[in-house]
Amino acid sequence: MKIIVMGCGKLGYEITEQLYKEGHNISVIDINPEAILSVTSNYDVMGVVANGANFNKLIDIGIEKANLFIAVTESDELNLLCCLFAKKASKCHTIARVRNPVYSHENKFIKNELGLSMIINPEHATAMEIVKLLRFPSAIKIDTFAKGKIRLYKFKIKPSSCICNMKIIDIRNKLDSGVLFCAVQRKTEVFIPTGDFILHEMDIAYIIAPPNKSSEFFKKIRIHTNQVKNTILVGGGKITYYLAQQLINIGINVKIIEKDKVKCEELSAEIPKATIINADAINKDMLLEEGLETAESFVTLTNFDEENILLGLYAKSKSNAKLVVKINKLDFDDVIENLDIGSVICPKYIISDYIIQYARAIRNSIGSNVEKLYKIIENKAEALEFYVKETSPIIGIPLEKLNIKKNILICSINKKGKFIVPNGQDIIRAGNTVIIVTTNTGLNDICDILEKR
């Protein structure tokens, strides 16, 4: 597809990188020549130094033939205006980044009135990811399918765990668990495990199950699953604003530490039920005085990765709190993984997943739509949910008779609200949704699970 990305900041660069790897024809626009040079030096994309609000420039770039236009500049208003121009000039799909909390209650109205395909808010999306983790603190990451009825959990196998050094088939039989182990990361290797696969200490396991089944499983292996009662949030930016409101609404006590006095006053007015502390979090005595040692969760949300990591490490040394660390750059992800600082959240990755999912969904699919897509192990494995159409060639055939590619696991079939872990005799029907985990990245259609003849 022909895709135009306007805005080459951190998010625009990440989106361009991921869409380029998906094989799309990309053009990027930015008023900053250095930003354009940075992208075009690393990827074979067309770069244009221009203001995207210039209608004639959009025409010159080829907006009339574009399939998708994505506006992710720092200005919400500019993003919306350029998406409006793009819609007027072509029939392309449009996505705008809108971050200002002022617009958060009008998103649906704005989307409908301007004919946008999607509005993305990295800070709000990040806050919602953190909410899931604080409601289920044992998981490093949680992704949802089928409108929340099926979840994918990521957790680490501790040396003391009762499932350490066990075969997956033995776990299933001995614990009578209704969960499915769908992927395992061992250092740099990724496996789609069979029943004979043995879990080792410090493996990162991914399981898929309905919420009630997963809760039962974690209780059987003696992992805490109850929602945290309180949290300390460091940093008073937009993520904190959205997150604090959501946490208070579900009964979690919130304390916010922010060194900027003006921000503290704004947060105090906007979130009166939160406790606001005007202080620099890089102060060990202050953190201890504010209850770090007894806190059930600790979330670092400053604009500096190094500060967030350092605070996470200190909190780990002083408490048993659920740790969530926000990082904007994951260039040293292998190093960060070894630090064992809990859940690492990267806003640009969350949003790029949404956009890749949408881009795959609007491609000419043969027999399905991509409903959900998660890069569960960055660039190594994906989890996808497909809605199966009547035109799909795989319907009505037992799975054992389908020539399915290696390293693909069909995790679940949703048959009118009934979720099953399929066996070889099960059949996919039109209208079903199917969840797949695979190391064969880039699937656009359910038919892509089959070997080509």
Side-chain angles (χ1 to χ4, degrees), residues 22 356-363 373 382 384 442-444:
E22 295 269 309
I356 292 167
Q357 172 187 313
Y358 189 81
R360 289 195 196 174
I362 62 176
R363 275 181 168 174
L373 178 148
E382 295 178 347
L384 303 100
L443 274 64
N444 296 298

Side-chain angles (χ1 to χ4, degrees), residues 342-374:
S343 300
V344 175
I345 293 286
C346 188
K348 64 182 182 181
Y349 282 1
I350 294 169
I351 293 302
S352 69
D353 273 6
Y354 289 168
I355 291 176
I356 292 167
Q357 172 187 313
Y358 189 81
R360 289 195 196 174
I362 62 176
R363 275 181 168 174
N364 293 326
S365 294
I366 302 167
S368 66
N369 287 333
V370 176
E371 298 285 298
K372 288 279 186 179
L373 178 148
Y374 298 107

Side-chain angles (χ1 to χ4, degrees), residues 235-250:
K238 291 186 178 73
I239 297 175
T240 297
Y241 169 81
Y242 292 118
L243 177 59
Q245 289 186 324
Q246 292 294 326
L247 295 179
I248 289 168
N249 287 341
I250 60 175

Side-chain angles (χ1 to χ4, degrees), residues 303-372:
N303 290 324
F304 302 99
D305 290 358
E306 297 83 359
E307 185 174 335
N308 291 336
I309 293 169
L310 184 62
L311 287 168
L313 288 170
Y314 181 68
K316 180 177 173 60
S317 72
K318 292 295 182 181
S319 75
N320 293 316
K322 166 66 180 179
L323 303 178
V324 182
V325 174
K326 187 200 81 168
I327 293 180
N328 290 317
K329 292 183 178 179
L330 281 178
D331 296 336
F332 298 96
D333 54 339
D334 53 341
V335 176
I336 294 167
E337 193 76 45
N338 290 329
L339 293 176
D340 194 20
I341 49 175
S343 300
V344 175
I345 293 286
C346 188
K348 64 182 182 181
Y349 282 1
I350 294 169
I351 293 302
S352 69
D353 273 6
Y354 289 168
I355 291 176
I356 292 167
Q357 172 187 313
Y358 189 81
R360 289 195 196 174
I362 62 176
R363 275 181 168 174
N364 293 326
S365 294
I366 302 167
S368 66
N369 287 333
V370 176
E371 298 285 298
K372 288 279 186 179

Side-chain angles (χ1 to χ4, degrees), residues 46 51 73 92 94 100-101 107 116 122 159 161 174 179 207 209 213 243 262 291 307 329 360 436:
M46 185 178 82
N51 185 338
T73 74
C92 70
T94 54
N100 194 325
N107 273 354
L116 300 176
S161 173
K174 291 179 181 179
V179 307
I207 64 166
K213 294 290 185 183
L243 177 59
V262 174
E307 185 174 335
K329 292 183 178 179
R360 289 195 196 174
I436 290 166

Side-chain angles (χ1 to χ4, degrees), residues 4-262:
I4 298 175
V5 179
M6 191 184 79
C8 291
K10 288 180 291 190
L11 180 58
Y13 188 100
E14 177 65 23
I15 290 169
T16 301
E17 178 183 9
Q18 296 302 325
L19 290 173
Y20 175 77
K21 289 177 180 177
E22 295 269 309
H24 297 290
N25 175 13
I26 312 292
S27 298
V28 293
I29 315 170
D30 200 290
I31 58 173
N32 183 350
E34 292 181 2
I36 291 294
L37 181 62
S38 175
V39 178
T40 54
S41 296
N42 291 305
Y43 304 103
D44 185 16
V45 301
M46 185 178 82
V48 179
V49 179
N51 185 338
N54 184 322
F55 187 81
N56 290 328
K57 276 290 181 185
L58 290 179
I59 296 295
D60 292 342
I61 293 164
I63 187 65
E64 293 169 301
K65 295 181 180 179
N67 303 103
L68 177 61
F69 180 84
I70 305 167
V72 287
T73 74
E74 290 298 314
S75 168
D76 293 349
E77 292 77 15
L78 179 60
N79 293 337
L80 292 170
L81 178 63
C82 291
C83 282
L84 182 61
F85 283 172
K87 289 295 291 184
K88 293 294 182 184
S90 73
K91 296 180 180 179
C92 70
H93 299 257
T94 54
I95 297 175
R97 174 165 75 172
V98 180
R99 306 167 67 195
N100 194 325
V102 171
Y103 296 126
S104 59
H105 299 295
E106 284 81 35
N107 273 354
K108 188 174 181 180
F109 173 80
I110 293 170
K111 179 174 177 286
N112 292 337
E113 288 300 306
L114 298 185
L116 300 176
S117 305
M118 184 189 300
I119 287 178
I120 53 174
N121 183 331
E123 289 77 18
H124 183 268
T126 303
M128 298 311 294
E129 290 296 315
I130 297 172
V131 169
K132 288 190 291 186
L133 292 168
L134 299 189
R135 297 191 77 166
F136 202 102
S138 298
I140 300 173
K141 191 172 186 286
I142 303 171
D143 294 319
T144 60
F145 298 95
K147 299 179 180 178
K149 294 176 182 177
I150 294 287
R151 292 180 183 173
L152 178 69
Y153 299 86
K154 172 184 177 182
F155 68 104
K156 184 166 284 189
I157 310 294
K158 302 292 185 181
S160 59
S161 173
C162 65
I163 62 173
C164 187
N165 298 320
M166 283 183 67
K167 289 183 179 180
I168 286 175
I169 192 166
D170 292 337
I171 297 171
R172 192 178 306 154
N173 294 335
K174 291 179 181 179
L175 299 182
D176 189 27
S177 67
V179 307
L180 177 68
F181 281 81
C182 54
V184 176
Q185 182 178 2
R186 181 172 295 160
K187 294 182 179 178
T188 59
E189 291 187 277
V190 178
F191 304 91
I192 302 296
T194 63
D196 290 330
F197 187 90
I198 299 173
L199 295 173
H200 294 173
E201 64 178 73
M202 307 312 287
D203 281 352
I204 295 175
Y206 294 79
I207 64 166
I208 197 163
N212 60 328
K213 294 290 185 183
S214 55
S215 295
E216 290 175 12
F217 169 74
F218 282 114
K219 286 176 184 176
K220 287 176 181 177
I221 64 173
R222 296 187 293 279
I223 288 181
H224 176 67
T225 60
N226 294 331
Q227 173 179 299
V228 302
K229 296 183 177 66
N230 59 71
T231 190
I232 296 175
L233 312 182
V234 179
K238 291 186 178 73
I239 297 175
T240 297
Y241 169 81
Y242 292 118
L243 177 59
Q245 289 186 324
Q246 292 294 326
L247 295 179
I248 289 168
N249 287 341
I250 60 175
I252 296 176
N253 293 324
V254 175
K255 182 178 289 187
I256 301 170
I257 299 173
E258 166 58 49
K259 62 183 177 182
D260 186 288
K261 188 175 180 180
V262 174

